[in-house]
Amino acid sequence: MKLPLFLLLSSFPSSAWAFSVAPPPRRSPVTSGGGRVYPLMSKQQVVPFPKKLYPSHHRNNYYSYSTKNKSALQLSDSSSTNEYSSPTRIQEALAGLTVAFSLLSKAIACSAIVGVNPLVGLWSSVIMGITAPLIGSRAGVISGTAAVVIVPLSALTMTHGVEYMPLCIILSAIMQGLFGLCNLAKTADLVSEEVLSGFLNGLGFILLFSQAKVFKAAKAVGALQPAVAMASLCFAIVQLLPILTKAVPSSLVGLVVATGLGMALKLPLATLESTAPAGTFSGGLSSLPQLIDFGQLRTMATSSSAVKLVMPAAISIMIIALVETLLAGKVVDDMTGTKDEKDYDVPKRSVLAMSTGNLASAFLGGFGGCGLIPQTVLNLKSGGGGPFSSISYAVAMASFVLFFAPLVGKISEAALAGIMITVAYDTVAWSSSVTSIKAALSKEGDGTRVQRLIDLFALGLSSYICYFGNLAVGIIGGVVAQRGLHSIFNRVGSSNDEAVAS
């Protein structure tokens, strides 16, 4: 299913609206004195609740003020008392292997969209997967080739050629690095739970409908029923196996069983090898990436016309990559119920790790990437969560290219579609969306009903824009709309109070 994508508002600075309006009422932790701590404020800066707008009897089960407040992104039900436990090295290695399988077809598809060799996407994922944990990115986040980054890049390469790709990625990486060095990574705290849920809803449905091409291709050759059967089998294994055992990742088991059964029954299913260009899965040292022509890069970098040409795409890539990388870290926090406590600024280090990975990838002829929310969800569901899972995913991806390429090429695309449908289902914020709807319709709740309707509107708006438009624009639009409407409502309420008092 081809999805319309709007051109990113690349000239819109992500921090321009950070303090332009009063922050809306949020479900963040509160102090014992009845005040609220807002994002970007220190723990000592507490804003008291206006008694008229925040009556204590309006607080009910729809809104939690506990510091252990769970979001819809967590894998367990909100009533669950299970605590997150750190995975073992074996669990992380298997989770990384599962993630590597899930990214194979995506990396190849991204390469085709840009117009470069399929191996470029694979090696871009490897480089991003290695640099992120080594530099100190949020543990559990998977970084690699991102389709959302490819959209503005492909618009550039299709119009002006792939020779501009290295300069574009390098400029984007430099801007990402400056963003991190200027300590702007914490602006992700501006994203509310409703806007984050809307982002995940849009991303989940994009991922879900992107698998339609697998079944359309199967239908064209008369293999629709076998494809649906193997994808359904894989989906069922992923969902049901954890009930019996969590010793091995259910996603990996589903992939192996569905592919193996299809081969045993000699079903006419497409494989990674059959849908990729010839030689992609030949393997060997000839598959290693090569350095770019630095002379040509220097010539382009010193040309004002070339820099002006690639700058809009570079800014778009920077914004999209920053948004998804920082939100991927928030997803890990919510799904595990933990914070990555380090002696350094984790969001800042995550941005710097992404910047470094993109630079290294560009120097080796790649197009980089960013943190990947769907693969991060898959990593956590498969038993990963530490930095070793990211490294093992990168090592597994490199091994696929160099040593096991012929074997990996036999993987069924229908089985991979089953995996990705599972990831799409887990990405959509079902529980949080239903909670927001119930809260908006309820007569009891946090704040007034108008405020809860504003939150629901922000969720719906960001979901719509993220799916039908652009992910970064959906995030920015949702935050601006929610904060702006809450600011207007609070000012009107204050004016009415002053009028009554006078």
Side-chain angles (χ1 to χ4, degrees), residues 301-320:
T302 54
S303 170
S304 59
S305 59
V307 173
K308 184 178 179 180
L309 180 67
V310 304
M311 188 58 73
I315 294 175
S316 297
I317 292 172
M318 175 201 70
I319 296 175
I320 296 172

Side-chain angles (χ1 to χ4, degrees), residues 123-354:
W123 284 117
S124 296
S125 293
V126 171
I127 294 169
M128 296 299 297
I130 291 176
T131 55
L134 290 181
I135 296 179
S137 182
R138 172 62 168 105
V141 171
I142 296 296
S143 299
T145 300
V148 290
V149 169
I150 294 305
V151 173
L153 179 61
S154 63
L156 173 69
T157 58
M158 290 174 63
T159 305
H160 303 286
V162 296
E163 59 269 16
Y164 287 96
M165 183 178 74
L167 178 61
C168 179
I169 299 301
I170 289 172
L171 289 176
S172 177
I174 292 173
M175 289 186 286
Q176 291 165 3
L178 293 174
F179 188 93
L181 291 174
C182 293
N183 295 315
L184 297 176
K186 290 185 177 180
T187 53
D189 291 338
L190 292 168
V191 180
S192 67
E193 182 181 337
E194 290 79 19
V195 176
L196 176 58
S197 296
F199 173 82
L200 292 172
N201 290 342
L203 181 62
F205 280 105
I206 288 175
L207 187 61
L208 175 64
F209 288 110
S210 69
Q211 303 307 305
K213 65 180 184 295
V214 175
F215 303 104
K216 288 182 179 179
K219 183 179 180 180
V221 297
L224 178 59
Q225 290 184 350
V228 171
M230 292 302 102
S232 300
L233 174 63
C234 187
F235 181 88
I237 292 175
V238 172
Q239 296 296 328
L240 300 178
L241 183 61
I243 299 176
L244 301 177
T245 179
K246 295 183 180 180
V248 292
S250 59
S251 302
L252 182 59
V253 175
L255 187 66
V256 172
V257 171
T259 298
L261 184 60
M263 293 175 64
L265 298 177
K266 297 183 179 180
L267 299 177
L269 298 175
T271 63
L272 290 177
E273 185 178 21
S274 66
T275 56
T280 301
F281 292 97
S282 58
L285 296 179
S286 60
S287 303
L288 288 171
Q290 304 293 324
L291 288 172
I292 61 174
D293 185 345
F294 286 97
Q296 183 183 28
L297 175 63
R298 183 170 58 252
T299 302
M300 287 186 173
T302 54
S303 170
S304 59
S305 59
V307 173
K308 184 178 179 180
L309 180 67
V310 304
M311 188 58 73
I315 294 175
S316 297
I317 292 172
M318 175 201 70
I319 296 175
I320 296 172
L322 285 170
V323 167
E324 184 156 7
T325 297
L326 293 174
L327 291 187
K330 291 172 70 70
V331 167
V332 176
D333 292 344
D334 286 339
M335 290 183 69
T336 62
T338 63
K339 291 285 186 180
D340 195 1
E341 301 293 342
K342 302 287 186 182
D343 56 356
Y344 55 80
D345 188 335
V346 175
K348 175 181 177 179
R349 193 69 69 89
S350 297
V351 172
L352 294 178
M354 176 180 62

Side-chain angles (χ1 to χ4, degrees), residues 24-27 63 192 194-195 436 446 450-460 482 486:
R26 296 296 311 119
R27 305 174 208 175
Y63 290 76
S192 67
E194 290 79 19
V195 176
S436 294
D446 175 26
V450 174
Q451 291 171 318
R452 300 195 300 274
L453 286 172
I454 291 174
D455 289 340
L456 180 61
F457 172 76
L459 188 153
Q482 186 180 30
H486 274 300

Side-chain angles (χ1 to χ4, degrees), residues 96-115:
L97 181 63
T98 305
V99 171
F101 278 122
S102 73
L103 267 176
L104 276 171
S105 59
K106 179 180 178 180
I108 294 173
C110 288
S111 300
I113 294 172
V114 176

Side-chain angles (χ1 to χ4, degrees), residues 32-118:
S32 58
R36 185 185 300 275
V37 181
Y38 284 113
L40 300 184
M41 290 185 176
S42 67
K43 293 183 179 179
Q44 290 75 27
Q45 292 177 289
V46 180
V47 181
F49 288 113
K51 293 182 179 180
K52 185 174 182 61
L53 297 181
Y54 300 95
S56 59
H57 65 273
H58 278 175
R59 300 176 187 176
N60 67 1
N61 293 331
Y62 291 132
Y63 290 76
S64 170
Y65 288 85
S66 166
T67 57
K68 295 182 178 180
N69 177 26
K70 292 186 177 181
S71 113
L73 302 175
Q74 289 180 273
L75 295 177
S76 59
D77 184 79
S78 60
S79 62
S80 172
T81 58
N82 295 332
E83 297 292 334
Y84 174 77
S85 58
S86 299
T88 64
R89 285 297 177 89
I90 294 178
Q91 289 176 318
E92 289 197 75
L94 292 175
L97 181 63
T98 305
V99 171
F101 278 122
S102 73
L103 267 176
L104 276 171
S105 59
K106 179 180 178 180
I108 294 173
C110 288
S111 300
I113 294 172
V114 176
V116 294
N117 187 288

